[in-house]
Structures are given as structure tokens and as C-alpha cells.
Amino acid sequence: MSLLEVRDLRVTYRSGASAVPAVRGVDLALGAGQKLGVAGESGCGKSTLALALLRLLPASARLSGEIRLDGEDVLTMSWGRLRAVRWAGASIVFQGAMHSLNAVHRIGEQIAEPLLVHGRATPGAAKRRSGELLEQVGLPASRAAAYPHELSGGQRQRVMIAMALACDPRLLVADEPTTALDVMIQAQILRLIEQLVAAQDISLLMISHDLAVLADTCDRLAVMYAGRVVEEGPARAVYDAAEHPYGRALSAAFPRIGDPASRRAPQGLPGDPPDPSALPRGCTFHPRCPVALDACARDEQELREAGPGRQAACVHAGAAVQA
């Protein structure tokens, strides 16, 4: 049994009298100790998916489907049970550490809070553990006395990782954890997450718009577009040779080291993702797709086999497999 199973997850936001679909029938599975990446442009539903996993969405959101964590459905948990699962069973690292940390509390107090809430330590032991966690993420224990504004962006992100690991969760959700950081600090934070996940045998679900980062960090990769998974498979295979045109466009948008042609002329993707409240008929990607057929504008494409351990929602997917 997978540690995390998402089955036909749908998330709809109420906006006045209308309903706006943000996640439309997502299926995902993540085993113990595995690393799954979720990629896509802004507005494709990645962060909504991440927040849904621990029911952190606003009251305007309506959820259906199943989110099974260790066999329990998060969507049917009581508030008391859900509170016990957050931090201890699964935790999340948000992309904006400055907005996630309390500006008027010292960081040591904030790291100790989940330990105290879950009864994992006495106040004295929680204080000592906070220092240990800071050292584990590469900060001196003395920084526990600092306030968030006294730390750099990279240091604040390390504090968020320390908080997420405080109660020894089995699942870590990292929602664009390096977006606000410069390139050098991004690399350090990514290596830190990789090392901690491997050392503690934690499952990782990492969200990013950068396929290259996910290909280097994760075992498998799911590409989302307009609220749906349009491709899923081994991370390196999806990055190097995506079966869905959208996955190929995302991969081509980033220059590759050692490839002068891609560095001098990186390829972009014209247009923007569709408005969730006015999705086009058929395959939602077809208005931007360079290889769309008439059928793409008529029929929504479901995931189909596209090679060993791979699926893609495209009429062209798996042509070599089917031939």
C-alpha cells in the first residue's frame, strides 16, 4: 500500500454564484521513501493540490475524491484527528518563509511549537530539540533566539524545513521551497532537502515550475495543466523526452548546461494557461499545442500508456508503444 494515494481529487472554489475548478480529477500515488515531483505553470493547480493534502484550503473550496495517508482518508478525518496528522504524519514547507513565520516570535519558539502541541517534548526538551534541528539544517543553535527579520531568505527557508521535520513526519510536502531564493541558495536548499529526506527515509512530494530541478531531485514526475495531470512517469525520462507537448515545452524552456543552442535560444510557450472558469472544450492544451488535431478540440484526452511506467493524456502519446 502506498503511503499517499490521491484518487479522483477535485477542488472547486466558489466565486460569487459560480464555481471555478482548480483541480479536476487528479490521481497520484507515493510510496514510503519515494520522491514525487509535480510541475506546471502558475495557475495549473499545483499549490491547490499541495494544500488539499492536509486540508489547508480556504472555506470557499469544495473537495471531493479521496486523499489516503497511510490508509486514512484525510477528507473524512475529524478536526481532532486532522490536527494530530498535521506536522506528525505529514508536514509542508511553503514557498514564502517570511509570510509563514510569525514576525513577533523567536524562531526557536516557533520550531518548538509543533513539538509542544503534539506532546512530543517538555518545554525544556523542546527548546533543546529546536537547537538540534537548526544545526541539522545548517544553522547554529544560537540562532534560535533570532526573530525572522534578522535572518536571510535562505536561513528562513532552513527554519521552515526544521519546523517541518520537528515531529518526524513520514511525508514532506515542499511547495516551491526555493522560488524566492537566488540560484546559489536554491542549490543549497535543494541539496539539504535531498539529504534530510534520504537520511530520515521520508517520502517527498515537491512542487515546482522547474522540470530540471524536479528531474534532479525526484524519482517520478507528474506534469499538471489546467487542473489535471497530463503526464506522469520516471522523472528523468519525462524531462529528457516528454510524451505530452506541454511537458516538452516546459522542458525546452530551460537552457541546458553544455548545449549552446538551448542557451542562446531557449524555447518558450506562447499564450497563457486557460482561465479555470472558462476552460476550452476538448483537450485544454489544444489552443497552444503545435501538434493538435481536430479530435483534440473535440475530445478531452485521458491518460494512456506512453512507455514503461509512463502515462500521457495526448493523442500522440505512446505512438512507438502502439506501433
Side-chain angles (χ1 to χ4, degrees):
M1 182 177 67
S2 298
L3 173 66
L4 174 70
E5 287 187 83
V6 178
R7 302 174 184 169
D8 194 27
L9 178 64
R10 298 175 184 272
V11 181
T12 302
Y13 292 106
R14 299 298 305 179
S15 178
S18 61
V20 179
V23 174
R24 304 183 300 125
V26 166
D27 295 295
L28 291 173
L30 180 61
Q34 292 183 341
K35 296 172 289 185
L36 172 67
V38 180
E41 293 170 286
S42 296
C44 70
K46 306 185 305 298
S47 291
T48 292
L49 170 64
L51 295 173
L53 297 180
L54 288 173
R55 276 169 56 189
L56 294 171
L57 292 168
S60 61
R62 296 291 179 267
L63 288 77
S64 65
E66 296 182 16
I67 302 172
R68 294 199 169 273
L69 183 63
D70 255 348
E72 287 188 84
D73 190 352
V74 173
L75 299 187
T76 60
M77 285 180 181
S78 66
W79 282 111
R81 178 57 185 154
L82 185 60
R83 186 181 183 188
V85 167
R86 290 173 176 168
W87 294 109
S91 59
I92 186 166
V93 177
F94 298 102
Q95 58 181 293
M98 192 62 188
H99 302 297
S100 303
L101 295 170
N102 192 320
V104 299
H105 288 283
R106 300 179 191 275
I107 62 169
E109 298 169 0
Q110 298 186 60
I111 296 172
E113 184 177 1
L115 291 166
L116 297 172
V117 167
H118 287 275
R120 296 293 186 94
T122 63
K127 183 177 181 179
R128 291 191 296 273
R129 180 60 178 152
S130 296
E132 293 171 359
L133 286 163
L134 285 174
E135 291 181 343
Q136 192 174 357
V137 297
L139 293 175
S142 61
R143 299 304 279 161
Y147 289 96
H149 72 272
E150 297 177 303
L151 304 178
S152 69
Q155 289 173 329
R156 287 194 292 266
Q157 203 63 36
R158 289 172 186 266
V159 171
M160 288 297 300
I161 295 170
M163 290 176 65
L165 298 178
C167 292
D168 299 316
R170 296 191 62 200
L171 171 64
L172 177 65
V173 179
D175 184 11
E176 305 237 27
T178 63
T179 296
L181 306 177
D182 62 64
V183 175
M184 293 297 292
I185 302 301
Q186 280 186 28
Q188 293 175 17
I189 295 298
L190 289 170
R191 295 290 82 78
L192 173 63
I193 291 175
E194 275 191 286
Q195 292 165 8
L196 293 172
V197 165
Q200 301 184 30
D201 196 29
I202 299 172
S203 297
L204 173 68
L205 190 147
M206 179 176 283
I207 290 172
S208 177
H209 62 277
D210 191 333
L211 263 69
V213 164
L214 296 177
D216 286 341
T217 307
C218 300
D219 305 314
R220 298 187 66 80
L221 177 58
V223 178
M224 286 188 69
Y225 187 78
R228 300 183 70 219
V229 173
V230 296
E231 182 162 4
E232 195 270 338
R236 180 51 61 177
V238 173
Y239 176 62
D240 288 339
E243 285 283 340
H244 196 283
Y246 180 60
R248 290 197 292 272
L250 286 181
S251 180
F254 294 91
R256 303 190 183 216
I257 295 174
D259 182 359
S262 73
R263 186 179 70 248
R264 292 169 184 158
Q267 300 177 38
L269 180 60
D272 298 300
D275 182 344
S277 63
L279 294 173
R281 184 182 176 187
C283 172
T284 51
F285 185 63
H286 87 264
R288 306 171 73 189
C289 182
V291 293
L293 305 176
D294 290 343
C296 302
R298 183 180 64 247
D299 304 320
E300 187 164 36
Q301 302 300 314
E302 301 297 332
L303 288 170
R304 65 186 71 186
E305 183 183 359
R310 301 182 64 176
Q311 298 181 90
C314 179
V315 293
H316 301 288
V321 176
Q322 298 165 10

